[in-house]
Amino acid sequence: DIQMTQSPSTLSASVGDIVTITCRASRSISIWLAWYQQKPGNAPKLLIYRASSLESGVPSRFSGSGSGTDFTLTINSLQPDDFATYYCQQYVSQSWTFGQGTKVEI
Amino acid sequence: EVHLVESGGGLVQPGGSLRLSCAASGLSFNTYTMTWVRQAPGKGLEWISYIIGSGQSIYYADSVRGRFTVSRDNAKNSLFLQMNNLRDEDTAVYYCAGEPAPGARWGQGTLVTVSS
């Protein structure tokens, strides 16, 4: 199975900061990577698919990049609504896997 | 608008069975790959299974293979998760979701508690 490793596990930031979360796959997944945002008590929400495609309705301060094994989610000018946990997910293989999550907190 | 609603969760004893359902609306259901994901209390997301639109191909995580069975009824826009031989570690909120593609949505989740 492909392992997904996110870093950091927790990130302390302030409103207006630029935040970067990384996700590394144990082998190449091309661009088959998604990013999700989850707030406590809520279901995850798709932010990015195919590594860099922004889901409709998601603010443009969110962006994704990367291919192969190394990927990045960037949040430009962090807003109060962005404090949440973020997960990457690979979906190239017959066994999809999530990263362990990154909690963005104040 | 796409809407997914899970049902069927509850309390079950170890070794017991439970069947979850996911009712879909607002999408051409038979064209969508659907997935089940779970989240144990205070933990991260764990992918369980996905089933392609036709239902012809289904894949499972090692942790549930042989115990869980996914199916779909495209005529009724419904997805199912049959869970047998449940263990304590299967306690989680179970979500149905569309594949990571434009417009993908998740249900609100249904809680399954395995305990004696």
Side-chain angles (χ1 to χ4, degrees):
Chain A
D1 288 358
I2 299 174
Q3 308 303 316
M4 305 300 294
T5 303
Q6 278 183 244
S7 60
S9 296
T10 306
L11 189 158
S12 296
S14 301
V15 173
D17 284 354
I18 298 174
V19 167
T20 300
I21 299 169
T22 63
C23 185
R24 175 165 288 178
S26 59
R27 64 172 173 87
S28 177
I29 58 170
S30 184
I31 60 167
W32 300 107
L33 184 102
W35 289 98
Y36 296 88
Q37 177 193 66
Q38 187 180 32
K39 298 179 181 178
N42 291 341
K45 171 188 171 184
L46 179 67
L47 300 176
I48 302 283
Y49 59 93
R50 272 184 241 136
S52 61
S53 296
L54 191 68
E55 169 65 352
S56 177
V58 174
S60 59
R61 63 180 178 273
F62 290 91
S63 63
S65 64
S67 65
T69 60
D70 294 310
F71 302 85
T72 300
L73 174 70
T74 301
I75 311 172
N76 282 298
S77 188
L78 195 70
Q79 298 300 299
D81 192 49
D82 301 337
F83 291 94
T85 299
Y86 295 83
Y87 295 91
C88 62
Q89 179 198 25
Q90 67 81 15
Y91 54 107
V92 70
S93 67
Q94 294 176 355
S95 179
W96 297 354
T97 43
F98 287 93
Q100 79 277 17
T102 296
K103 184 177 182 180
V104 177
E105 59 184 21
I106 299 174
Chain B
E1 184 180 349
V2 175
H3 206 50
L4 301 174
V5 179
E6 302 94 338
S7 61
L11 176 63
V12 61
Q13 292 187 338
S17 298
L18 213 54
R19 189 189 195 214
L20 306 184
S21 300
C22 173
S25 60
L27 73 167
S28 298
F29 185 70
N30 63 352
T31 68
Y32 273 80
T33 291
M34 298 296 295
T35 182
W36 285 100
V37 175
R38 69 183 179 184
Q39 187 168 35
K43 302 297 184 182
L45 302 173
E46 179 187 12
W47 171 80
I48 294 175
S49 177
Y50 76 83
I51 178 171
I52 67 172
S54 66
Q56 295 278 326
S57 296
I58 310 170
Y59 302 98
Y60 297 95
D62 289 345
S63 59
V64 305
R65 188 178 294 114
R67 299 187 300 124
F68 289 11
T69 302
V70 172
S71 61
R72 64 192 298 161
D73 183 340
N74 286 341
K76 296 182 178 179
N77 286 1
S78 295
L79 178 71
F80 304 101
L81 178 64
Q82 176 67 44
M83 303 185 294
N84 297 331
N85 191 19
L86 283 160
R87 306 166 178 167
D88 291 350
E89 57 264 33
D90 295 319
T91 293
V93 174
Y94 286 73
Y95 296 101
C96 68
E99 62 178 320
R105 293 294 182 268
W106 290 52
Q108 83 289 348
T110 187
L111 177 62
V112 172
T113 303
V114 184
S115 175
S116 55

